[in-house]
Each structure stands twice: as structure tokens, then as C-alpha cells.
Amino acid sequence: MAIERTFSIIKPDAVAKNLIGPVTTKLEEAGLRVVASRMTKLTQVEAQQFYAVHSERPFYHDLVKFMTEGPVVVQVLEGENAVKKNREIMGATNPADAADGTIRKAFAESIERNAVHGSDSPENAKIEIGFFFSSAELATLTR
Ligand code: CMP
């Protein structure tokens, strides 16, 4: 299996609860390596663009509001089968459905405030990584 990259966001609820370390530990224990990481506060336009695929969904407005309420940590994760591995360790979107041991089961409050985002496919991982990290920045970090 080839080494793959995926994109992760530690969301405002988890950052506010001082959970950057515990969330990252779960990612690392799952075999993923953080190859780029930055704390940022999304603007409304950034959140709208990042989640544009959900713009017709009833929860879109609240999702944008939540994602801009405080700082987030955006990360590039690397490892074998990274997209699938990250989604497994994240757990189901709704923490009520998430398996024991997953990030959302341990740390998420609700389907809206669900601690982490992770790319759902290698194609979207490339798009989402490119949304936050330039190829020059990634080349410097992984040199
Ligand atoms: P995420 O993986 O970041 O992708 C889209 C986000 O929209 C999702 O996590 C949730 O935070 C949110 N979301 C998805 N489905 C719902 C829903 N039914 N109600 C409210 N928020 C949702």
C-alpha cells in the first residue's frame, strides 16, 4: 500500500477544550504522521468556501458559524491508507454513532460540534490540502 496524505481539522470545540494534544495523540497512535500543522481562525468566506459542497444543506449556516467561532488546527497527515485510517480513528460524524476508541466518541459533543474533520477521499484530500497549504510550504516542511 502506497503512502498517502489526508487533511484534518481539529475544530473549534476541541481546540477550546484544550484537546489538540489528545486528538493528535489518537491520530499518531493510529499510525498517522503529522507532516504539516497550523493554527488558524477561519474567516466566514474561508468556511463557506471549504464547506461549499454543503451549501444547500439545512445545517450549512450553523456549520459556518461554528467553524468560525474560534481557532482551529489544520493538519496534513501521512501514512499508509491515510484517508481511510483517519476516518476510522475519527469515528462516525454523529458521536452517538461513533465506535469506542474513536476521536468523536471520546471528544465530540454532537453531530454539529464533532471535534474533527477529515477528507472523505484521496481526491478531496488533495483539494483540501491545497486549500490551506501551498506546495512550497509542504516541500519545505517535508524536505
Ligand atoms: P465534517 O466531517 O466536517 O463535514 C461536514 C460537517 O457538517 C460535519 O462534519 C458535521 O460537523 C456537519 N454535519 C453533517 N451532517 C450534519 C447534520 N445532519 N446536522 C448538522 N451538522 C451536520
Side-chain angles (χ1 to χ4, degrees):
M1 168 63 67
I3 295 293
E4 187 176 73
R5 285 185 175 178
T6 191
F7 176 73
S8 167
I9 303 178
I10 305 178
K11 295 186 178 185
D13 57 327
V15 173
K17 287 190 282 187
N18 219 13
L19 292 172
I20 297 170
V23 169
T24 304
T25 295
K26 278 201 177 282
L27 298 171
E28 292 175 340
E29 284 175 351
L32 295 163
R33 173 174 293 274
V34 179
V35 295
S37 182
R38 185 170 69 241
M39 184 178 260
T40 185
K41 190 160 184 290
L42 300 186
T43 64
Q44 180 154 339
V45 169
E46 281 176 323
Q48 285 171 336
Q49 287 176 347
F50 185 78
Y51 281 117
V53 66
H54 296 303
S55 62
E56 301 303 318
R57 308 287 286 274
F59 57 80
Y60 180 66
H61 174 82
D62 287 346
L63 176 61
V64 169
K65 193 162 173 239
F66 163 56
M67 289 301 292
T68 56
E69 76 177 26
V72 300
V73 176
V74 292
Q75 296 177 319
V76 179
L77 309 175
E78 189 175 87
E80 280 188 11
N81 227 353
V83 171
K84 186 164 174 275
K85 208 173 254 181
N86 184 38
R87 290 188 66 86
E88 281 170 6
I89 192 61
M90 282 164 52
T93 305
N94 188 344
D97 302 327
D100 284 346
T102 62
I103 292 169
R104 284 170 169 159
K105 178 73 172 187
F107 305 126
E109 293 170 31
S110 65
I111 193 168
E112 291 92 6
R113 305 174 70 84
N114 63 353
V116 282
H117 166 83
S119 307
D120 62 4
S121 67
E123 297 71 32
N124 282 338
K126 283 197 181 67
I127 294 167
E128 293 178 354
I129 289 169
F131 192 90
F132 286 101
F133 294 95
S134 70
S135 46
E137 185 178 6
L138 289 172
T140 304
L141 290 169
T142 54
R143 198 174 284 154

Short mmCIF file of all heavy atoms in Angstrom, two decimals, residues 11 51 54 59 63 93 104 111-112 114 117, ligand 1:
data_model
loop_
_atom_site.label_atom_id
_atom_site.label_comp_id
_atom_site.label_asym_id
_atom_site.label_seq_id
_atom_site.Cartn_x
_atom_site.Cartn_y
_atom_site.Cartn_z
N LYS A 11 -11.39 20.95 15.20
CA LYS A 11 -12.39 22.01 15.12
C LYS A 11 -12.44 22.89 16.38
O LYS A 11 -11.85 22.53 17.42
CB LYS A 11 -13.77 21.37 14.87
CG LYS A 11 -13.86 20.67 13.50
CD LYS A 11 -15.28 20.19 13.25
CE LYS A 11 -15.42 19.52 11.89
NZ LYS A 11 -16.82 19.17 11.59
N TYR A 51 -16.66 24.48 2.90
CA TYR A 51 -17.84 23.61 3.01
C TYR A 51 -18.88 23.89 1.92
O TYR A 51 -20.06 23.59 2.11
CB TYR A 51 -18.47 23.77 4.40
CG TYR A 51 -17.74 23.00 5.48
CD1 TYR A 51 -17.14 23.65 6.55
CD2 TYR A 51 -17.67 21.62 5.45
CE1 TYR A 51 -16.48 22.94 7.56
CE2 TYR A 51 -17.02 20.89 6.45
CZ TYR A 51 -16.43 21.56 7.50
OH TYR A 51 -15.80 20.84 8.48
N HIS A 54 -21.71 21.65 0.94
CA HIS A 54 -22.89 21.52 1.82
C HIS A 54 -23.79 22.76 1.77
O HIS A 54 -24.70 22.89 2.61
CB HIS A 54 -22.45 21.31 3.28
CG HIS A 54 -21.72 20.02 3.50
ND1 HIS A 54 -22.24 18.79 3.18
CD2 HIS A 54 -20.47 19.77 4.00
CE1 HIS A 54 -21.37 17.84 3.48
NE2 HIS A 54 -20.29 18.41 3.97
N PHE A 59 -28.04 22.58 7.54
CA PHE A 59 -27.11 22.88 8.62
C PHE A 59 -25.96 23.78 8.20
O PHE A 59 -25.08 24.09 9.01
CB PHE A 59 -26.56 21.57 9.23
CG PHE A 59 -25.88 20.65 8.25
CD1 PHE A 59 -24.58 20.86 7.83
CD2 PHE A 59 -26.56 19.55 7.74
CE1 PHE A 59 -23.95 20.02 6.93
CE2 PHE A 59 -25.94 18.68 6.83
CZ PHE A 59 -24.64 18.92 6.43
N LEU A 63 -23.07 25.46 10.50
CA LEU A 63 -21.74 24.86 10.34
C LEU A 63 -20.69 25.97 10.14
O LEU A 63 -19.63 25.96 10.78
CB LEU A 63 -21.76 23.90 9.14
CG LEU A 63 -20.44 23.25 8.74
CD1 LEU A 63 -19.87 22.38 9.87
CD2 LEU A 63 -20.63 22.39 7.47
N THR A 93 -19.73 10.60 11.92
CA THR A 93 -20.00 12.05 12.00
C THR A 93 -20.76 12.39 13.27
O THR A 93 -20.46 13.38 13.94
CB THR A 93 -20.81 12.49 10.76
OG1 THR A 93 -20.10 12.09 9.59
CG2 THR A 93 -21.01 14.00 10.75
N ARG A 104 -14.24 11.02 17.89
CA ARG A 104 -15.56 11.63 18.10
C ARG A 104 -16.28 11.00 19.29
O ARG A 104 -17.00 11.69 20.02
CB ARG A 104 -16.38 11.57 16.82
CG ARG A 104 -15.89 12.62 15.81
CD ARG A 104 -16.51 12.42 14.48
NE ARG A 104 -16.27 13.54 13.56
CZ ARG A 104 -16.37 13.43 12.24
NH1 ARG A 104 -16.68 12.26 11.70
NH2 ARG A 104 -16.15 14.48 11.47
N ILE A 111 -23.45 16.09 16.60
CA ILE A 111 -23.19 15.99 15.16
C ILE A 111 -22.69 17.32 14.60
O ILE A 111 -21.92 17.35 13.64
CB ILE A 111 -24.43 15.48 14.39
CG1 ILE A 111 -24.05 15.07 12.96
CG2 ILE A 111 -25.56 16.50 14.40
CD1 ILE A 111 -25.13 14.28 12.24
N GLU A 112 -23.10 18.42 15.22
CA GLU A 112 -22.63 19.74 14.75
C GLU A 112 -21.23 20.03 15.28
O GLU A 112 -20.37 20.51 14.56
CB GLU A 112 -23.56 20.86 15.22
CG GLU A 112 -24.94 20.87 14.59
CD GLU A 112 -25.95 20.07 15.39
OE1 GLU A 112 -25.61 19.59 16.51
OE2 GLU A 112 -27.08 19.90 14.90
N ASN A 114 -18.42 18.34 16.30
CA ASN A 114 -17.93 16.96 16.31
C ASN A 114 -16.40 16.84 16.26
O ASN A 114 -15.87 15.86 15.74
CB ASN A 114 -18.61 16.14 15.20
CG ASN A 114 -18.31 16.65 13.82
OD1 ASN A 114 -17.67 17.69 13.66
ND2 ASN A 114 -18.73 15.92 12.82
N HIS A 117 -12.57 17.21 11.47
CA HIS A 117 -12.95 16.97 10.08
C HIS A 117 -11.85 16.14 9.45
O HIS A 117 -10.68 16.33 9.76
CB HIS A 117 -13.08 18.29 9.31
CG HIS A 117 -13.12 18.08 7.81
ND1 HIS A 117 -14.28 17.76 7.15
CD2 HIS A 117 -12.14 18.09 6.87
CE1 HIS A 117 -14.02 17.60 5.87
NE2 HIS A 117 -12.72 17.79 5.67
P1 CMP B 1 -17.43 17.28 8.68
O1 CMP B 1 -16.76 15.96 8.60
O2 CMP B 1 -16.56 18.45 8.96
O3 CMP B 1 -18.22 17.55 7.33
C1 CMP B 1 -19.37 18.36 7.27
C2 CMP B 1 -19.87 18.73 8.62
O4 CMP B 1 -21.21 19.14 8.65
C3 CMP B 1 -19.83 17.52 9.53
O5 CMP B 1 -18.51 17.20 9.84
C4 CMP B 1 -20.69 17.99 10.67
O6 CMP B 1 -19.98 18.84 11.54
C5 CMP B 1 -21.74 18.77 9.92
N1 CMP B 1 -22.93 17.96 9.70
C6 CMP B 1 -23.05 16.89 8.93
N2 CMP B 1 -24.30 16.40 8.97
C7 CMP B 1 -24.98 17.20 9.81
C8 CMP B 1 -26.34 17.21 10.27
N3 CMP B 1 -27.23 16.30 9.87
N4 CMP B 1 -26.67 18.18 11.11
C9 CMP B 1 -25.78 19.11 11.49
N5 CMP B 1 -24.49 19.15 11.10
C10 CMP B 1 -24.10 18.19 10.27
#
